[in-house]
């Protein structure tokens, strides 16, 4: 685990514009200061997918100010849990880290209606992750 009391979780996808942004937003909302949250992409997009922003707004989470970030070795090394979401071999591997590969549809190029089920599945997985980490989800 990281040196702080709160576990650190890194969400990684290719563009850091959809799935990883939703994952980090849900974990931030539901885990609060009891977990450190990062997200990044192996080939970051210029902006977060607008359909993802809208789908998250529907559940009361505003990610409109978020920007895709580049994946760094330091981000992986300083994380306890690395959740990959379709980045394949572009995600670096470090022994001793807990890796979860969440196979989810890619919201790129999709409308809000197609993003909603992806969003809802990510929220379910975040709630399970919090339970596994022994952290009660915020209401």
């Amino acid at each position: 685990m990281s040196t702080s009391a709160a576990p650190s979780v890194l969400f990684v996808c290719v563009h850091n514009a959809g799935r990883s942004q939703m994952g980090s937003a849900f974990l931030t909302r539901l885990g609060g200061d009891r977990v450190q949250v990062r997200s990044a992409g192996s080939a970051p997009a210029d902006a977060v997918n607008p359909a993802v922003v809208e789908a998250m707004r529907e559940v009361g989470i505003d990610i409109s100010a978020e920007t895709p970030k580049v994946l760094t070795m330091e981000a992986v090394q300083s994380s306890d849990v690395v959740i990959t979401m379709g980045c394949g071999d572009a995600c670096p591997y470090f022994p001793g880290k807990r890796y979860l590969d969440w196979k989810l549809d890619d919201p790129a190029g999709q409308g809000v209606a197609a993003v909603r089920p992806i969003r809802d599945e990510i929220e379910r997985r975040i709630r399970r992750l919090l339970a596994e980490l022994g952290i009660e989800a915020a209401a």
Side-chain angles (χ1 to χ4, degrees):
M1 289 299 223
S2 62
T3 55
S4 73
S8 176
V9 178
L10 171 66
F11 293 92
V12 183
C13 66
V14 175
H15 301 297
N16 191 222
R19 295 166 288 189
S20 56
Q21 291 284 349
M22 288 189 281
S24 65
F26 274 123
L27 188 55
T28 298
R29 166 68 64 86
L30 298 172
D33 61 2
R34 297 162 295 166
V35 63
Q36 296 176 10
V37 183
R38 298 178 184 88
S39 71
S42 54
D46 293 329
V48 175
N49 179 333
V52 168
V53 172
E54 180 58 31
M56 293 302 286
R57 186 177 289 127
E58 290 176 354
V59 294
I61 299 175
D62 182 7
I63 62 169
S64 62
E66 295 297 324
T67 57
K69 293 165 271 317
V70 68
L71 177 64
T72 65
M73 295 294 195
E74 293 79 23
V76 178
Q77 288 176 309
S78 62
S79 298
D80 299 311
V81 180
V82 178
I83 299 173
T84 58
M85 302 169 131
C87 67
D89 294 338
C91 294
Y93 177 82
F94 290 95
K97 302 292 175 192
R98 179 178 175 198
Y99 286 86
L100 300 172
D101 185 27
W102 289 0
K103 296 189 184 329
L104 299 157
D105 290 337
D106 188 348
Q110 309 248 17
V112 176
V115 173
R116 286 183 189 117
I118 301 167
R119 173 201 66 200
D120 295 345
E121 178 59 24
I122 290 171
E123 181 181 9
R124 280 189 289 278
R125 292 181 189 206
I126 293 297
R127 289 181 181 280
R128 277 196 304 267
L129 175 65
L130 284 167
E132 290 170 13
L133 294 173
I135 298 170
E136 186 175 340

